[in-house]
């Protein structure tokens, strides 16, 4: 596996592969790789001749009181995992490579309408930071395909809209969430959890499943949400949000909407965890 530290090295490898007619699938990450990330690499390998993974802990998407400084950085283990997974290249730019004029002077990408609801309401500026860095990484790597996890449902939608709005010639792919046997969605932030918090956090996916079941049985949305929140309280989870939305635009669904997604964000101690579950009803005439 090639390890590329600079944009110049990345470009020259990219050009050599392009000259051989090889296509690229790109997996952007912030490192501390787990089985969920490796499933993105596996998916990427099916899409293109070469797979490039980036590891960059992006300061622009962290708020002032968030975990930027403590975010787990595990480069040696990540490199070993990527070699086993069969990635062709790892790109690890520095903050000054990505933001040469500093964060405050950086041109930004804002995807309107969707960036300030749900996670965006709790984390102001987060999706601007995500859209900006992903746009920059896309311009550096110039892939034909890019692969993201569906656990970050809203992020995936922001990136799809950005790529579409800015006419980027890149196909965006979402890969289903990898889970522990308990149902807990894999996340780099799970490493912050105590055993008790990890056990409590399993209530997040369990509540998504019971809300989905209730929706299929025609139960009222408000009652389903209230009951799930009571369950969270019982195990000591603090809700950020728990909401049933339309898949198309994450708006509030009407009675007629048939493609829904239940989105959750909760704190186990100080660790913020997110998850989601789609619910599709068959349309009847
Ligand atoms: O999902 C992530 O790990 C990050 O938000 C991403 C897409 C790599 C951008 O920094």
């Amino acid at each position: 596996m090639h390890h590329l530290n600079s944009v110049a090295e990345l470009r020259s490898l990219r050009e050599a592969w392009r000259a051989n007619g090889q296509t690229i699938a790109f997996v952007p990450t912030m490192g501390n790789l787990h089985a969920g990330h490796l499933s993105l690499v596996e998916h990427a390998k099916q899409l293109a001749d070469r797979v490039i993974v980036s590891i960059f802990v992006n300061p622009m998407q962290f708020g002032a009181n968030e975990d930027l400084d403590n975010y787990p950085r595990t480069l040696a283990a990540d490199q070993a995992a990527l070699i086993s997974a069969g990635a062709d290249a790892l790109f690890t730019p520095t903050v000054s490579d990505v933001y040469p004029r500093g964060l405050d002077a950086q041109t930004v990408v804002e995807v309107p309408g969707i960036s300030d609801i749900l996670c965006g309401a709790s984390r102001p500026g987060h999706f601007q930071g995500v859209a900006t860095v992903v746009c920059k990484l896309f311009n550096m790597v110039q892939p034909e395909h890019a692969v993201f996890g569906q656990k970050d449902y809203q992020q995936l939608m922001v990136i799809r809209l950005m790529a579409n709005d800015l006419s980027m010639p890149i196909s965006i792919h979402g890969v289903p969430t990898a889970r522990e046997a308990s149902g807990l969605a894999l996340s780099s932030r799970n490493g912050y959890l105590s055993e008790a918090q990890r056990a409590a956090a399993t209530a997040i996916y369990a509540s998504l499943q019971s809300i989905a079941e209730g929706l299929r049985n025609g139960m009222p949305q408000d009652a389903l949400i209230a009951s799930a929140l009571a369950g969270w309280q019982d195990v000591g989870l603090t809700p950020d949000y728990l909401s049933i939305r339309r898949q198309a635009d994450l708006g509030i669904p009407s009675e007629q909407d048939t493609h829904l997604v239940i989105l959750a964000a909760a704190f186990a101690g100080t660790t913020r965890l997110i998850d989601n579950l789609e619910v599709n009803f068959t349309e009847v005439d």
Side-chain angles (χ1 to χ4, degrees):
M1 182 178 74
H2 300 265
H3 185 178
L4 314 162
N5 289 303
S6 69
V7 180
E9 285 174 277
L10 170 70
R11 283 261 160 83
S12 114
L13 184 65
R14 176 74 186 89
E15 287 318 310
W17 284 344
R18 197 198 298 276
N20 285 338
Q22 294 180 320
T23 54
I24 307 289
F26 176 45
V27 183
T29 81
M30 297 206 300
N32 192 233
L33 305 180
H34 50 63
H37 295 110
L38 301 181
S39 74
L40 306 184
V41 174
E42 204 44 54
H43 191 90
K45 282 162 63 179
Q46 315 304 316
L47 295 169
D49 302 309
R50 298 287 189 172
V51 174
I52 300 179
V53 178
S54 65
I55 295 180
F56 177 65
V57 181
N58 173 33
M60 197 186 257
Q61 69 189 74
F62 286 78
N65 302 318
E66 295 184 348
D67 55 345
L68 173 63
D69 291 339
N70 298 328
Y71 197 83
R73 289 156 171 91
T74 53
L75 184 58
D78 292 348
Q79 274 177 298
L82 290 173
I83 290 168
S84 304
D88 295 285
L90 168 62
F91 175 48
T92 54
T94 62
V95 173
S96 55
D97 286 330
V98 178
Y99 301 116
R101 295 195 302 130
L103 283 180
D104 291 342
Q106 173 62 44
T107 301
V108 294
V109 179
E110 173 76 22
V111 180
I114 188 164
S115 296
D116 54 1
I117 57 171
L118 301 164
C119 284
S122 315
R123 306 183 68 189
H126 170 69
F127 287 118
Q128 185 181 85
V130 169
T132 301
V133 80
V134 172
C135 177
K136 292 195 60 128
L137 291 167
F138 281 180
N139 284 333
M140 292 172 183
V141 177
Q142 300 181 8
E144 281 81 9
H145 301 273
V147 183
F148 296 86
Q150 287 171 355
K151 180 173 80 71
D152 296 283
Y153 198 92
Q154 189 176 3
Q155 166 173 286
L156 180 56
M157 190 167 285
V158 166
I159 291 165
R160 282 191 201 283
L161 288 170
M162 173 190 75
N164 197 48
D165 287 353
L166 299 181
S167 309
M168 294 174 163
I170 303 173
S171 302
I172 309 296
H173 304 261
V175 172
T177 304
R179 299 183 181 280
E180 292 184 353
S182 66
L184 179 65
L186 297 192
S187 164
S188 298
R189 291 193 166 98
N190 291 354
Y192 299 145
L193 301 172
S194 67
E195 275 311 305
Q197 289 168 342
R198 184 177 282 261
T202 62
I204 299 173
Y205 187 54
S207 63
L208 296 179
Q209 288 177 303
S210 62
I211 293 171
E213 184 63 18
L215 289 173
R216 283 191 281 266
N217 291 331
M219 291 171 67
Q221 297 189 6
D222 289 353
L224 291 168
I225 297 284
S227 154
L229 290 176
W232 286 10
Q233 189 172 19
D234 288 346
V235 297
L237 293 176
T238 307
D240 181 358
Y241 62 78
L242 178 60
S243 193
I244 301 166
R245 298 293 173 116
R246 243 188 333 252
Q247 283 174 28
D249 57 2
L250 300 188
I252 307 288
S254 71
E255 299 267 305
Q256 283 70 44
D257 283 307
T258 51
H259 293 79
L260 307 180
V261 55
I262 315 158
L263 296 142
F267 289 92
T270 55
T271 304
R272 186 173 177 281
L273 300 169
I274 59 172
D275 204 348
N276 64 79
L277 185 62
E278 290 185 339
V279 186
N280 296 303
F281 297 98
T282 320
E283 289 171 58
V284 280
D285 298 324

